[in-house]
Amino acid sequence: FTLEEFKTAEAKSQFSKWFGQKVEDSHVETVFNLVGGVVGMVKGIFEKAEVVGFDRALSDQENFVRHDCDCFRIIDSQGGFGPDQVRKACWLARQVANSPFLQCFPNKNLPFAPVDFATAVRDRSAHPIYYDPVADAYCARSPFVHSMMKSMRSVEELSK
């Protein structure tokens, strides 16, 4: 879903039910920035916010997203993509980050197939980037992930 779709009265009404109080546009914008248009994650944040408060729920989710990005980063050191073990996770992250958030990075001449990407991501529970088959492109899950990808360094680069 898009931010505009999440800002509709109908969507905010549902978010308010999960949150237990009225959801404002600022709440929606903050949550969307962190997790993008993934309804399940949005629901999880608002449900948790009802129990622990909005700021704590956001902080916990931000920590989860950071961990998710770390798991993606180490794909290179844990076998890469596909049977040829292509070590391009950090490179792909930077390409996605250098593409405009809503345009994604096109799947052209990459040395691995989308299915190899999907398998590596699933096996490592690392989902900050997803493959969009309609656009035939790799995309950041959220604006927050997109900004984190700009500074992603490989394990080898970090150890220098």
Side-chain angles (χ1 to χ4, degrees):
F1 289 91
T2 66
L3 177 58
E4 291 72 31
E5 290 170 315
F6 277 173
K7 284 184 169 183
T8 65
E10 182 181 354
K12 288 195 302 187
S13 173
Q14 182 60 53
F15 299 158
S16 294
K17 289 176 187 172
W18 294 333
F19 190 25
Q21 57 186 298
K22 185 177 180 188
V23 170
E24 303 293 337
D25 281 350
S26 61
H27 292 117
V28 175
E29 290 165 359
T30 302
V31 171
F32 184 86
N33 181 61
L34 189 57
V35 298
V38 182
V39 174
M41 295 181 112
V42 171
K43 180 180 181 184
I45 290 173
F46 281 123
E47 286 178 340
K48 186 170 187 171
E50 182 180 25
V51 177
V52 300
F54 191 66
D55 291 339
R56 172 69 188 273
L58 288 176
S59 176
D60 290 352
Q61 186 63 39
E62 183 176 321
N63 288 335
F64 173 80
V65 171
R66 288 180 188 282
H67 175 73
D68 203 24
C69 289
D70 284 342
C71 289
F72 188 86
R73 177 180 50 81
I74 63 173
I75 287 174
D76 286 344
S77 64
Q78 293 183 343
F81 298 116
D84 294 332
Q85 298 185 330
V86 177
R87 299 185 192 293
K88 292 278 189 181
C90 291
W91 175 86
L92 179 61
R94 288 190 294 263
Q95 301 314 304
V96 168
N98 290 330
S99 299
F101 174 67
L102 295 175
Q103 289 182 348
C104 307
F105 180 69
N107 178 32
K108 294 183 181 173
N109 302 318
L110 294 180
F112 54 88
V115 69
D116 297 328
F117 169 83
T119 300
V121 166
R122 182 197 65 226
D123 289 352
R124 289 156 185 95
S125 296
H127 303 91
I129 295 175
Y130 67 94
Y131 173 72
D132 180 347
V134 174
D136 191 26
Y138 293 90
C139 310
R141 182 175 67 213
S142 70
F144 179 74
V145 166
H146 189 259
S147 68
M148 287 190 65
M149 296 288 129
K150 289 181 187 279
S151 62
M152 185 170 282
R153 299 289 178 251
S154 69
V155 173
E156 293 79 18
E157 290 171 319
L158 291 173
S159 64
K160 290 180 182 177

